[in-house]
Amino acid sequence: MAEKSYKYIILGGGVAAGYAAREFVQQGLQAGELAIISKEPAAPYERPALSKAYLFPESPARLPGFHTCVGSGGERQTPQWYSEKGIDLVLDTEVVEASVAQKSLKTASGDVYKYGALIIATGATFIKLSDFGTPGADAKGIYHLREVEDATALYEAIKANPNGNAVCVGGGYIGLELAAVLNMNKMKVTMVYPEPFCMPRLFVSEIAAFYEGYYKEKGIEIVKGTVASGFESNEHGEVKVVKLKDGRELPADIVIVGVGARPNIGLFKDQLTVEKGGFKVDGFFKTSAENVYAVGDVATFPLKLYNELRRVEHVDHARKSAIQAVQTIKAAEAGTSVEEYDYLPYFYSRAFSLSWQFYGDNVGDAVVWGAKGADKVNAKFGAYWVKDGKVMGAFLEGGSADENKALATAARNQVPVLGLDRQELLFLPPSSTVQTNQCSPTNALPTYYNTLKSRI
């Protein structure tokens, strides 16, 4: 059993770890000060690639092509990069015990790692249907997607079942993105989800109707209002049928399950304060223990913009929270300070030729423009969520970089919408004298953005 000590340790090897490592280097890191301990066999990479380009039928993405930090336009951090920066990359290593009091981590092989400061970036684990006791949910051919090994196994299954049947269980990010890429691979795809429309945590029915219509035109079947109640396999233990609660049965050569994830907090659950499923942190990502920080999926942080505690599972927050934690650590060493984390919630997705972005919070009244009858080839439509006369959230499909930036600014500044004139109301909630059905002409979009910019 070996024991090693480091000034800093990052536990977890996902997106947050890669961005934290880069920030340490930029802040001035000495060789041998930092170790990253990860149960994954690969250096940190941009996880969103797994549900998109990694599974493309033509020229699929492969490592080292999408190591962090290329997702934000930064340098590709290959294993050689970590070596050159004097960072110990401890891969394929599971930590099984952690002691905040002793500032130590113990691995499955018995090695002990001591730290001065710890950043917990352990991310989340997918939820399995077998967790709910669904019969047959552990059959061969049922896939979940979280790590590059999962994506590789799924890619091989796709290639082994040309023109086969695929069922996506779940109508969120994973379901929508994988249904698209399976369709691109010429598979017969069926989506199944219990909600009345897809992406219910974000979309409203009118927005969802566009995407569901688009997917149907691509040949994807959508089954709503029911769930998978069981799976049948052949004599080799390979899934062949998905049984639905409403009695229907779907043929399946491949099943993708995307029904959510759970944050990986078990190692420290009884040692750190937990709230809303994650470690409670302050605006600098400090946990309840000295010199222990939590970032990304496992952090429940003060969302300053809305004066509430929130846990966010998204790559954008993983990147930014990791950077914030490192800046806090280095500032404390220098006897200086940094500003509190002031995050604007941001979500996005890409599938087929579609690409949408959302900023802010989907609370209040939603006003949708342009979605009904939108051009399926060059789609551009959006929505605003308004509460107490202010823009709280903004959504746009098919926007340019400038347009998306304007949306972000509107949501960040919570632009007031009361008292605007007719032209300004084209894409905003109607006043008492302007009806919702008047808020639709998409050709006024540039004028609207110019108006927003002039008001901020």
Side-chain angles (χ1 to χ4, degrees), residues 316-327:
D316 180 65
H317 167 63
R319 294 166 177 162
K320 291 175 179 175
S321 60
I323 292 169
Q324 174 80 30
V326 175
Q327 290 178 347

Side-chain angles (χ1 to χ4, degrees), residues 29-61:
L29 183 73
Q30 300 300 312
E33 288 186 332
L34 172 63
I36 296 175
I37 304 176
S38 173
K39 68 180 182 65
E40 295 193 54
Y45 53 86
E46 303 285 359
R47 207 174 296 278
L50 300 183
S51 60
K52 304 177 184 70
Y54 198 92
L55 302 174
F56 282 177
E58 303 292 337
S59 302

Side-chain angles (χ1 to χ4, degrees), residues 110-156:
D111 294 333
V112 174
Y113 291 82
K114 296 277 191 174
Y115 59 83
L118 173 68
I119 297 178
I120 304 171
T122 45
T125 300
F126 49 72
I127 295 173
K128 296 182 178 182
L129 292 180
S130 56
D131 296 341
F132 306 109
T134 305
D138 288 327
K140 297 175 184 177
I142 299 179
Y143 298 90
H144 304 78
L145 188 62
R146 185 70 188 180
E147 301 176 1
V148 69
E149 289 181 322
D150 302 323
T152 298
L154 178 56
Y155 181 83
E156 291 173 352

Side-chain angles (χ1 to χ4, degrees), residues 251-272:
D253 300 297
I254 292 174
V255 176
I256 308 294
V257 178
V259 294
R262 293 191 182 98
N264 295 318
I265 63 172
L267 280 171
F268 300 91
K269 190 173 182 180
D270 298 324
Q271 303 180 66
L272 302 175

